Amino acid sequence: MIAGSIAYFGRYSLDEANNVLSLDIHAGTLANLTGNPAEKRTITSLTDSELKFTRPFMQDVTLEVVFKRAK
């Protein structure tokens, strides 16, 4: 395991009208990530090469995640 990393996979769905990304995580490096299809992310930026979204994490903590398209 690599310290400080999180990995997961599953089905993503996008509500473009409300800028919401929903995930149905099937498995991941942390057991508590799976099985919560109600978990939503708010998209802050979406371009051809990059996706940015925020996700509530803990009380008073919000994560910002950035995915960049590989070249």
Side-chain angles (χ1 to χ4, degrees), residues 19 42-47 50-54 64-65 67:
N19 287 336
T42 302
I43 298 169
T44 57
S45 174
L46 179 60
T47 67
E50 185 177 87
L51 166 64
K52 289 184 183 180
F53 59 84
T54 58
E64 181 178 58
V65 179
F67 286 114

Side-chain angles (χ1 to χ4, degrees), residues 6-7 14 18 21 25 27-28 31 35 38-42 45-46 49 51-53 58 63 66-67 70:
I6 297 174
L14 177 61
N18 294 305
L21 179 67
I25 298 173
E39 189 170 306
K40 310 245 185 272
R41 278 94 165 132
T42 302
S45 174
L46 179 60
S49 60
L51 166 64
K52 289 184 183 180
F53 59 84
M58 296 170 22
L63 302 178
V66 179
F67 286 114

Side-chain angles (χ1 to χ4, degrees), residues 11-15 20-24 37-41:
R11 187 176 302 258
Y12 291 73
S13 61
L14 177 61
D15 177 351
V20 173
L21 179 67
S22 300
L23 294 115
D24 183 7
E39 189 170 306
K40 310 245 185 272
R41 278 94 165 132

